[in-house]
Amino acid sequence: MTSSQNTPAPAAVRAVPASINSWSADYLEQEYARFRADPESLSADLRAFFQGFDLARAGAPAEASGAPAPGGGIDALRVAYRSLGHLAANISPLAAPPARPSELDAARAALGDGARTAIDALERAYCGSIGVEFMHCETRSERDWFVARFEGEQPTIDADERRRILDDLTRAEVFDRFLGKRYQGKKRFSLEGGESVIPLLRAISTRAGELGCEEIILGMAHRGRLSVLRNFLGKDLQRLFTEFEDSWAGGENEGGGDVKYHRGYSGDHVLPDGRRVHLSMLNNPSHLESVNPVVLGKCRAKQDRVGDTERRRIASLLIHGDAAIAGQGVVAECLVMSRLDGYAVGGTLHIVINNLVGFTTDPTDSRSTRYCTDIAKSISAPVLHVNADDPEAVVRAARIAAEYRHEFRRDVFIDLVCFRRHGHNEQDEPTYTQPRLYEAIRAHPGTAEVYRRRLIGQGVVTEADAGALADAVQNEMDAAQTAAKSTPMNPVPPPGGGVWEGFNGRYDFASPDTGVPAAALAEVCAALGRVPEGFAVHSKLKNLLASRAALAKGGRVAHADAELLAIGTLLLEGRPVRLSGQDSRRGTFTQRHAVLRDERTGERYTPLNHVRSGQARFDVWDSPLSEFGVMGFDYGYSRGSPGTLVLWEAQFGDFVNGAQVMIDQYLASSEVKWSRWAGLTLLLPHGYEGQGPEHSSARLERFLQLCADDNMEVVYPSTASQIFHLLRRQALRAFRKPLIVMTPKKYLRFESSDMADLTHGSFQHLIDDPAMDDRAAAGVRRVVYCSGKVYHELAEKRGASRDVAIVRVEQLYPFHTGAARAIDARYPRHAERVWAQEEPRNQGAFLYAFDEFRTRLGVELAYVGRPPSASPATGSEHLHKQQQERLLAAAVAPGQPSSVNGPAHAAAIAEVREPHAPAPQAAGKPAKSKR
């Protein structure tokens, strides 16, 4: 039987053996040429590697090959073992040790029996139950650190710790067997075959705690999750059995909740010396690896909140599957972020539960690399491959990983090579696809039994001791199951604890007064126009800074100004702000300039961090070119720091679809599925300006389709004052909901508000037509409802005419029925009601608005806009302008056909009834409400 670790590498990899250390062939050839010309020009370790390489190729004693004398041969042998020893390590619980690399055997033969002691020591260090890859690490200090750990004196594991390891394995074994017997047919994704992950996790937590770590935030998918929740985090058995009994009838709505192997939990690990490490596992959907950036973001938020600048007090730990870590792109996105200033968490501890098969797919079909962990080499992270059937080696690897993370604050990987006792789930038949593998698995007695026999043979425990331990776990589970049947227990701990103290989950349309005294606004304006003495501002920005400073004197405010004023005033009130996204410091449209660069030195300066001493901090980060990973990180950050206004910005709103998993599985549904709140704000540039299919739409319709249960807010503000009050509202309320903002592109610099509008009031859910007093309203023939940027174009097109009113729906969801009813009542019942939008009919807000107006207000909206389309927008700027002009003209022409069609686009603009709406009534007469 062959493990996934020992699957032969592709021919391209085998042709250049050193490529397994992530050194490229071109680099090796270049350095080898240097070695042949001048060995002393290379570092000692690389020089020794090539000495061993020559020695192995020659297959002869050093003197005969022209290689260095025996001392140099020993050095070369050491480097060969350090580089290639993992290929000969005994890391599979199902297979014999793999074939040895020829380079190792040739080097050993060249040195002869005189080096036997050194060879034996290197064999023990690198070819046992741990195969370590570290020679690709970037720094000499890292490589020396691993040499010391593996070639130096090894720490012993005493009898008490061995018994603790057996206790962990037994608890894991009995736990899954009990569930398998009592709940046959129910999915549980058992840990059977990978029980060693429990002592591994305990060893990591213990060693990290000894080194000063106070909290570990975990993420993992399904495999073994229930066992980890119980046997590591200490989840109450009564809660767990309530889930299996499906007997809790608490307050979740009919569409709420989640399956048991998706849920999270928190608990404390008490160290032998009495100290505690808090453990927190986040909820995770079936989208494998999607929780990774959420864990990292929450970890960073907690580090920032407690001032853990060295990032050692709070750590992140991710548990992967072998197929998922190799196949899911978000893994790479998180590794790219791992050492960036705005996203670093001081290194993540990665554990792979390597079942040797993903779902039903063999390793040869699921990846192109020898190891499932080879992606770790993209950031030069070390990897420890360890045989799960040697739990003491597993514990040793865990300690090494915890110590490495603490010392270097970089990612480290443990590849726990184990197996999966059943199929993908307990009802799956694995022999359909892996008959030979499962023949070996059926013959395997189990890791706990292998270790139990080992300790009995060593006299560490007796048969009676081992049996009593298993019986005690069985009895504990029996009692808990009985209790759960009689007294079900809420499986989900209620939200609102810890850093969420004082927040609640009840949505309310009421808004705090978000106006700011003129004096505070003046302070922020002054800071926006101020730079340190000697700082060379870019010549093209001097006028902008001066204009922002002058805002304190009054005048008109643009969207980009209002955003910075909102952030600055929050900072003065002690509320931190984090903004992250592609080009967010400057702004995609060169509108923000939140961070300035010295024209001569490149030094950065953030004006809003220098408004007043004692203020809160504004962190604004230019992110990697990632949506999934970065949005997930910022979502996690909002979970870990509810007092911070956390904003993620798309370069263009269209790119938000690269993070659709985060939107669907986390933002939209985390509260109803997991009873967990989050306040992430998405800033999504949206608007039709002739820039083509990928630079027009933030897919407003998709967000509206996800709206229910007051789960989030979707807004499309039309003025600077609205964005000012909106952002401040998001930070000041006593509840947290994701906020989805369609932000402008064309109107970023449009001065749409007065400074005085920022000193009082709050965000308005709808805005009535400012040109319509009561007298004018009585003569209106058409009421045009719209949202966002198109309002300004409609108002310009309408001109001085007063027979058309234009009403803005600024917050689409939750829809403020009361405000909408009050505004609509001002206009004659016989007046037409239409919805105008730029987006195609099957996109944008029309279908949502039509349903809301009809069911909540009894108002049936006609439609003015582009016809349905499979693409968000035309790629022709010329055609876009034609369509836009026809759309605007049709919208503000009451009583006239709104279809203004060209021959090639016969339905370019249409005003139609909903296809399945009731028969038309008298113009303007409301339909009966369904509510």
Side-chain angles (χ1 to χ4, degrees):
M1 188 55 53
T2 302
S3 81
S4 65
Q5 260 60 33
N6 302 322
T7 301
V13 175
R14 292 199 300 271
V16 185
S19 68
I20 59 175
N21 297 310
S22 81
W23 291 337
S24 72
D26 291 342
Y27 170 75
L28 284 173
E29 289 177 4
Q30 174 186 328
E31 295 301 291
Y32 186 60
R34 285 180 57 199
F35 168 74
R36 298 296 298 232
D38 180 12
E40 296 303 317
S41 67
L42 272 65
S43 62
D45 55 347
L46 198 54
R47 185 167 62 247
F49 176 82
F50 286 126
Q51 289 168 351
F53 186 70
D54 277 352
L55 187 65
R57 291 177 64 196
E63 294 81 1
S65 68
I74 289 291
D75 287 342
L77 183 68
R78 290 193 184 103
V79 172
Y81 268 95
R82 294 166 188 170
S83 303
L84 305 174
H86 61 92
L87 297 175
N90 181 25
I91 58 174
S92 174
L94 298 177
R100 302 175 59 80
S102 59
E103 293 85 350
L104 288 183
D105 289 337
R108 291 170 59 183
L111 289 171
D113 290 338
R116 175 55 52 192
T117 300
I119 291 171
D120 289 346
L122 291 168
E123 283 283 321
R124 288 192 299 273
Y126 296 112
C127 300
S129 295
I130 300 177
V132 58
E133 295 184 273
F134 67 94
M135 288 296 282
H136 60 275
C137 290
E138 289 180 354
T139 66
R140 178 65 180 269
S141 60
E142 291 173 86
R143 298 192 293 272
D144 288 347
W145 189 90
F146 275 103
V147 167
R149 290 298 183 282
F150 279 84
E151 296 180 31
E153 185 176 351
Q154 300 303 313
T156 59
I157 295 181
D158 62 25
D160 284 342
E161 180 151 13
R162 291 177 180 177
R163 284 189 282 269
R164 280 195 294 272
I165 293 172
L166 180 61
D167 182 86
D168 280 336
L169 294 173
T170 301
R171 287 182 178 279
E173 179 186 57
V174 174
F175 175 84
D176 271 316
R177 288 184 177 176
F178 183 96
L179 294 178
K181 290 178 181 177
R182 300 293 176 91
Y183 299 101
Q184 293 183 26
K186 290 203 173 185
K187 287 183 182 180
R188 53 193 171 88
F189 298 95
S190 80
L191 188 59
E192 291 165 280
E195 291 91 346
S196 285
V197 79
I198 303 300
L200 188 160
L201 289 168
R202 199 174 304 284
I204 280 184
S205 179
T206 299
R207 188 66 187 119
E210 292 168 350
L211 294 168
C213 182
E214 300 166 3
E215 181 171 0
I216 298 175
I217 301 171
L218 301 92
M220 71 179 295
H222 316 330
R223 179 70 50 210
R225 186 184 186 94
L226 296 179
S227 185
V228 170
L229 287 170
R230 168 57 190 165
N231 296 308
F232 179 50
L233 281 88
K235 181 169 182 175
D236 190 286
L237 278 173
Q238 198 168 337
R239 290 185 192 274
L240 192 144
F241 282 123
T242 298
E243 292 176 286
F244 274 95
E245 296 291 334
D246 200 12
S247 55
W248 178 254
E252 294 172 343
N253 68 33
E254 292 182 0
D258 202 351
V259 292
K260 63 188 82 62
Y261 41 80
H262 286 176
R263 285 172 170 155
Y265 200 75
S266 296
D268 287 343
H269 175 201
V270 182
L271 275 57
D273 63 5
R275 284 184 290 174
R276 292 175 179 267
V277 177
H278 185 64
L279 308 171
S280 178
M281 180 179 285
L282 303 192
N283 299 281
N284 190 82
S286 290
H287 297 68
L288 302 177
E289 308 293 335
S290 67
V291 78
N292 297 3
V294 182
V295 168
L296 303 182
K298 187 171 183 181
C299 178
R300 174 61 180 261
K302 292 198 167 192
Q303 290 172 342
D304 289 352
R305 202 179 64 249
V306 302
D308 182 16
T309 55
E310 292 192 347
R311 315 210 180 279
R312 289 187 169 116
R313 291 169 56 189
I314 300 170
S316 52
L317 189 153
L318 298 175
I319 305 176
H320 311 270
D322 51 311
I325 193 173
Q328 298 291 302
V330 72
V331 176
E333 294 186 28
C334 290
L335 295 181
V336 166
M337 290 191 289
S338 64
R339 298 183 195 171
L340 303 180
D341 287 346
Y343 309 89
V345 295
T348 295
L349 296 153
H350 299 264
I351 298 168
V352 181
I353 300 180
N354 189 342
N355 301 145
L356 314 179
V357 58
F359 204 99
T360 65
T361 308
D362 288 323
T364 50
D365 294 316
S366 65
R367 63 177 186 264
S368 300
T369 58
R370 179 185 296 274
Y371 294 120
C372 63
T373 52
D374 280 341
I375 192 162
K377 295 171 187 173
S378 67
I379 57 166
S380 303
V383 183
L384 299 135
H385 308 280
V386 59
N387 190 327
D389 268 3
D390 187 347
E392 292 175 22
V394 170
V395 167
R396 181 178 166 227
R399 290 173 175 167
I400 290 171
E403 291 166 359
Y404 173 87
R405 191 260 175 197
H406 176 82
E407 179 70 20
F408 297 102
R409 288 174 290 175
R410 292 187 171 188
D411 290 50
V412 58
F413 289 71
I414 297 175
D415 178 19
L416 182 69
V417 187
C418 51
F419 58 88
R420 187 180 71 190
R421 175 67 71 185
H422 306 288
H424 176 65
N425 58 60
E426 286 68 33
Q427 292 78 51
D428 185 41
E429 176 51 71
T431 58
Y432 291 148
T433 49
Q434 280 80 29
R436 293 184 59 216
L437 175 64
Y438 274 85
E439 181 182 353
I441 289 173
R442 289 197 179 106
H444 194 289
T447 299
E449 180 61 18
V450 169
Y451 192 60
R452 191 177 293 120
R453 292 173 186 172
R454 177 175 166 184
L455 295 194
I456 291 171
Q458 294 172 346
V460 176
V461 298
T462 65
E463 289 272 9
D465 293 334
L469 177 59
D471 289 344
V473 179
Q474 177 81 20
N475 293 337
E476 181 183 21
M477 297 189 73
D478 267 326
Q481 185 188 39
T482 300
K485 287 181 176 181
S486 62
T487 312
M489 191 175 186
N490 186 353
V492 181
V499 298
W500 286 90
E501 191 76 36
F503 290 93
N504 65 72
R506 296 185 300 276
Y507 185 79
D508 194 336
F509 282 112
S511 173
D513 184 353
T514 49
V516 175
L521 287 168
E523 278 190 87
V524 177
C525 290
L528 289 172
R530 187 172 59 231
V531 295
E533 186 175 350
F535 189 93
V537 177
H538 194 285
S539 57
K540 293 184 179 180
L541 291 180
K542 291 179 180 178
N543 288 340
L544 173 66
L545 301 191
S547 68
R548 284 177 173 169
L551 286 173
K553 300 175 183 177
R556 302 286 287 173
V557 183
H559 179 106
D561 304 324
E563 177 198 82
L564 292 175
L565 290 170
I567 291 170
T569 53
L570 288 171
L571 300 176
L572 292 183
E573 295 166 17
R575 298 181 181 274
V577 178
R578 174 187 169 94
L579 168 62
S580 160
Q582 295 156 22
D583 311 313
S584 285
R585 285 169 169 149
R586 186 198 75 175
T588 296
F589 310 97
T590 66
Q591 83 286 359
R592 180 173 291 121
H593 300 290
V595 179
L596 306 174
R597 299 294 291 267
D598 187 296
E599 200 170 20
R600 294 189 301 261
T601 67
E603 178 187 357
R604 291 190 176 107
Y605 178 73
T606 306
L608 288 181
N609 280 330
H610 303 276
V611 181
R612 181 198 300 169
S613 62
Q615 67 172 75
R617 182 171 179 81
F618 178 34
D619 285 319
V620 52
W621 306 104
D622 289 337
S623 77
L625 199 67
S626 155
E627 289 82 37
F628 190 165
V630 178
M631 185 195 290
F633 187 100
D634 289 319
Y635 168 81
Y637 199 103
S638 76
R639 290 270 301 271
S641 186
T644 300
L645 175 62
V646 185
L647 309 115
W648 177 83
E649 181 177 52
Q651 190 177 60
F652 283 85
D654 314 64
F655 301 159
V656 74
N657 56 18
Q660 200 66 47
V661 169
M662 297 310 310
I663 296 163
D664 291 353
Q665 306 304 325
Y666 293 89
L667 271 75
S669 56
S670 66
E671 184 172 347
V672 72
K673 288 194 301 188
W674 307 319
S675 296
R676 288 300 175 264
W677 305 322
L680 179 63
T681 297
L682 305 187
L683 304 179
L684 310 178
H686 177 86
Y688 281 57
E689 286 129 10
Q691 297 189 53
E694 273 73 63
H695 295 305
S696 297
S697 175
R699 294 295 192 172
L700 173 61
E701 66 281 355
R702 293 182 182 172
F703 289 101
L704 294 172
Q705 288 170 353
L706 292 169
C707 289
D709 306 311
D710 293 335
N711 60 334
M712 56 184 172
E713 291 178 310
V714 180
V715 300
Y716 195 176
S718 61
T719 68
S721 61
Q722 282 286 83
I723 195 66
F724 176 86
H725 291 295
L726 176 66
L727 294 179
R728 287 183 50 79
R729 182 185 76 166
Q730 179 72 350
L732 296 177
R733 290 182 301 192
F735 62 86
R736 291 290 179 265
K737 303 278 184 178
L739 171 62
I740 316 302
V741 187
M742 302 290 117
T743 61
K745 303 188 297 265
K746 175 180 176 181
Y747 285 98
L748 283 169
R749 298 177 184 82
F750 177 63
E751 295 175 345
S752 54
S753 301
D754 291 322
M755 273 295 286
D757 296 333
L758 313 187
T759 62
H760 61 276
S762 59
F763 178 79
Q764 299 178 67
H765 298 86
L766 291 91
I767 300 178
D768 198 356
D769 193 325
M772 296 294 169
D773 57 21
D774 288 342
R775 182 175 178 180
V780 163
R781 298 167 56 200
R782 171 180 283 185
V783 182
V784 178
Y785 286 95
C786 65
S787 193
K789 165 248 185 187
V790 75
Y791 162 77
H792 299 287
E793 296 172 323
L794 288 168
E796 182 180 5
K797 189 69 176 176
R798 178 187 63 179
S801 170
R802 290 297 174 265
D803 56 356
V804 175
I806 306 173
V807 179
R808 285 165 276 176
V809 181
E810 301 280 291
Q811 178 168 304
L812 291 154
Y813 187 85
F815 184 71
H816 199 314
T817 306
R821 182 177 289 115
I823 290 174
D824 193 78
R826 294 187 66 231
Y827 298 103
R829 292 171 62 85
H830 64 266
E832 301 171 282
R833 267 70 170 179
V834 304
W835 180 269
Q837 68 178 36
E838 304 179 293
E839 304 89 346
R841 188 180 186 280
N842 59 320
Q843 300 170 36
F846 169 65
L847 296 178
Y848 165 82
F850 180 91
D851 187 60
E852 290 292 283
F853 272 77
R854 182 171 60 172
T855 59
R856 292 177 180 271
L857 304 179
V859 171
E860 188 171 320
L861 295 176
Y863 171 75
V864 179
R866 289 174 169 84
S869 172
S871 175
T874 176
S876 164
E877 186 175 1
H878 175 72
L879 183 56
H880 160 77
K881 289 179 179 178
Q882 282 188 337
Q883 292 177 348
Q884 197 77 354
E885 178 60 29
R886 290 171 180 165
L887 182 159
L888 298 172
V892 297
Q896 299 298 318
S898 59
S899 179
V900 185
N901 304 323
H905 300 277
I909 311 248
E911 176 182 336
V912 296
R913 271 194 313 114
E914 173 73 3
H916 303 296
Q921 302 179 28
K925 185 177 180 180
K928 289 184 179 180
S929 173
K930 293 182 180 179
R931 300 185 183 178

